[in-house]
């Protein structure tokens, strides 16, 4: 008998964090953009250690996606297994909490999380 693909235990939520770059990033001068990039690195550093997630992969579409992305397709993605919904919201809140001067990262980026499970095919 074929196992139902929806059965089986799940120890994490497969999450795709979709990150868009907003107009203020492109309007910023070189020094401000450099500060945004540095704070983005700080904000999203060590997701495994800080949040207990397993990052499966990342993708940056900035070479073929030029200019702001305020909706799909986004500019960057982080695919991760996340322990719970609360942790997903904490990772999204990085944009609320990290500052670049007087602004927060959400001035420059937007983030959206898609939650699901591992697909039952195409994993090898």
């Amino acid at each position: 008998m074929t196992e139902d693909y929806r059965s089986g235990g799940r120890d994490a939520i497969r999450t795709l964090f979709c990150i868009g770059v907003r107009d203020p990033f492109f309007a910023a001068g070189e020094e401000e953009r450099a500060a945004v990039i540095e704070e983005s690195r700080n904000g999203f550093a060590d997701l495994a250690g800080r949040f207990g997630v397993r990052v499966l992969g990342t993708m940056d579409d900035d070479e073929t996606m030029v200019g702001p992305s305020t909706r799909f397709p986004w500019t960057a993605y982080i695919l991760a297994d996340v322990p719970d919904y609360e942790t997903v919201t904490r990772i999204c809140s990085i944009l609320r909490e990290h500052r670049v001067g007087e602004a927060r990262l959400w001035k420059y980026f937007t983030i959206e999380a898609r939650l699901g499970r591992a697909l039952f095919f195409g994993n090898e």
Side-chain angles (χ1 to χ4, degrees):
M1 186 162 140
T2 304
E3 183 181 336
D4 182 359
Y5 73 94
R6 293 182 188 269
S7 66
R10 294 183 216 166
D11 56 355
I13 303 169
R14 181 67 44 99
T15 305
L16 181 63
F17 295 96
C18 309
I19 301 165
V21 182
R22 303 181 67 214
D23 285 324
F25 179 80
F26 296 101
E30 283 189 43
E31 189 175 304
E32 185 178 358
R33 278 196 306 273
V36 170
I37 290 168
E38 183 61 28
E39 192 54 36
S40 301
R41 287 183 177 135
N42 293 336
F44 286 90
D46 193 23
L47 293 175
R50 291 170 45 214
F51 298 101
V53 307
R54 184 168 69 105
V55 175
L56 303 171
T58 63
M59 188 181 98
D60 190 350
D61 194 12
D62 70 337
E63 290 184 346
T64 58
M65 169 72 172
V66 180
S69 56
T70 57
R71 57 183 169 72
F72 179 84
W74 302 105
T75 304
Y77 302 87
I78 300 170
L79 180 63
D81 281 339
V82 182
D84 53 41
Y85 180 81
E86 179 185 352
T87 303
V88 173
T89 64
R90 289 175 54 214
I91 292 171
C92 288
S93 288
I94 289 170
L95 297 187
R96 293 183 180 102
E97 296 165 358
H98 284 260
R99 293 185 174 274
V100 177
E102 294 297 313
R104 297 174 194 266
L105 281 177
W106 67 6
K107 175 181 178 182
Y108 307 98
F109 301 114
T110 187
I111 190 167
E112 173 183 308
R114 302 287 312 202
L115 286 66
R117 62 181 185 280
L119 187 60
F120 65 96
F121 59 85
N123 289 297
E124 53 291 320

